[in-house]
Amino acid sequence: MTTDTPQPSQIDTANAHPARVYDWLLGGKDNYPVDEAVGEKLPPEARDAARQNRQFMQRAAAWLSSQGVDQFLDIGTGIPTEPNLHQIVQRITPTAKIVYTDNDPIVLRHAQALLTSGPEGATDYIQADVRQPAAILERARTVLDFERPIALSLIALMHFIPDEQDAHGIVRDLVATLPSGSYLVMSHAASDLYPELAERVTAEYAKGGIRLGFRTRAEVARFFDDLDLVDPGLVTAPEWFRSDQAPAAEGSGIYSAVARVR
């Protein structure tokens, strides 16, 4: 089933939006000229990063589902690109429940049509910003059981929250609501792996009105304070896998990790 969702508010086509730029980088068509203008100025590695993020999400979701996790709170969902998280999870656990969240109305329009659960499970969509965690959690509690483990997914999201907006505090507060046995799944752009590229990407996004807060490995590691990192720990996106079949080795400016809540 899918729970009722609010009607989308007006879509801003005058300013670039991270979800739509990401869609362009993935080769999607659900973006506008203002988003394409940002994407076209980014280095080719930005497309690689978008793909690596998506593939990390797919591997992590499949592994968590195989471990019995059947509830997911995905914040910063982005425009649907198959396979979506719920499709991956419900192939393994048909009764799984997934709550998607994004702050762009265009994502809601697509979510209503495409993020549809199988008959045994549930999906819901919340139009909200990660900087409004209380609103997200209030709605998520109507679908997810916060007495049982939940996977909190923050894929390529927190580098859009600069330090002055307390990115670490936001994640800490979200994780604090999760019961023991839950997981934090995160990928985050690095400032220290390819510094020149990071500076260029940050500058081009800024020209489009989007602020970025890329972080060093140590700064990304802080998001996982007091959590137990799952092997292989905090690594680049292509290096995170749990199966016998390793992804192709390639350079990456994206840190990724999965960690268990104690």
Side-chain angles (χ1 to χ4, degrees), residues 181-204:
S182 295
Y183 289 87
L184 171 62
V185 184
M186 178 184 287
S187 61
H188 193 294
S191 62
D192 54 350
L193 291 175
Y194 300 96
E196 292 183 2
L197 276 175
E199 290 178 7
R200 180 180 170 188
V201 170
T202 299
E204 294 299 340

Side-chain angles (χ1 to χ4, degrees), residues 77-151:
T77 296
I79 294 167
T81 303
E82 291 193 355
N84 296 297
L85 189 151
H86 75 280
Q87 293 170 319
I88 295 167
V89 170
Q90 290 184 346
R91 286 172 188 164
I92 300 170
T93 309
T95 57
K97 298 180 179 180
I98 298 89
V99 173
Y100 291 107
T101 304
D102 203 284
N103 66 353
D104 186 0
I106 195 174
V107 178
L108 173 56
R109 290 190 176 181
H110 289 282
Q112 290 174 321
L114 299 175
L115 301 181
T116 304
S117 172
E120 299 171 87
T123 60
D124 193 15
Y125 182 85
I126 306 169
Q127 186 179 324
D129 195 291
V130 71
R131 290 164 290 197
Q132 305 166 327
I136 293 173
L137 292 168
E138 180 181 6
R139 175 65 176 267
R141 290 181 187 278
T142 66
V143 178
L144 306 178
D145 179 0
F146 277 70
E147 298 298 317
R148 299 195 303 108
I150 295 170

Side-chain angles (χ1 to χ4, degrees), residues 39-75:
E40 286 184 333
K41 294 179 181 178
L42 296 174
E45 290 84 355
R47 289 186 181 230
D48 293 334
R51 171 181 52 79
Q52 292 166 351
N53 265 307
R54 195 74 189 169
Q55 291 171 343
F56 162 69
M57 179 279 289
Q58 293 167 0
R59 292 193 299 273
W63 180 77
L64 286 166
S65 186
S66 73
Q67 300 304 298
V69 178
D70 62 356
Q71 300 189 107
F72 290 76
L73 175 56
D74 181 45
I75 304 178

Side-chain angles (χ1 to χ4, degrees), residues 4-5 30 37 47 70 76 133 140 144-145 147 154 165 167 175 185 196 203 252 254 260:
D4 293 336
T5 52
D30 299 307
R47 289 186 181 230
D70 62 356
L144 306 178
D145 179 0
E147 298 298 317
L154 303 173
Q165 295 180 4
V175 171
V185 184
E196 292 183 2
S252 175
I254 304 294
R260 189 177 187 274

Side-chain angles (χ1 to χ4, degrees), residues 139-227:
R139 175 65 176 267
R141 290 181 187 278
T142 66
V143 178
L144 306 178
D145 179 0
F146 277 70
E147 298 298 317
R148 299 195 303 108
I150 295 170
L152 171 63
S153 175
L154 303 173
I155 302 297
L157 174 64
M158 298 312 296
H159 51 245
F160 291 102
I161 310 296
D163 287 340
E164 60 267 28
Q165 295 180 4
D166 194 20
H168 289 94
I170 290 170
V171 175
R172 182 175 59 249
D173 290 346
L174 285 167
V175 171
T177 68
L178 303 177
S180 176
S182 295
Y183 289 87
L184 171 62
V185 184
M186 178 184 287
S187 61
H188 193 294
S191 62
D192 54 350
L193 291 175
Y194 300 96
E196 292 183 2
L197 276 175
E199 290 178 7
R200 180 180 170 188
V201 170
T202 299
E204 294 299 340
Y205 268 95
K207 292 176 185 177
I210 300 172
R211 295 182 61 199
L212 291 176
F214 287 11
R215 295 182 169 90
T216 65
R217 188 182 191 282
E219 290 168 334
V220 174
R222 282 184 53 205
F223 287 110
F224 299 94
D225 283 352
D226 300 320
L227 304 178

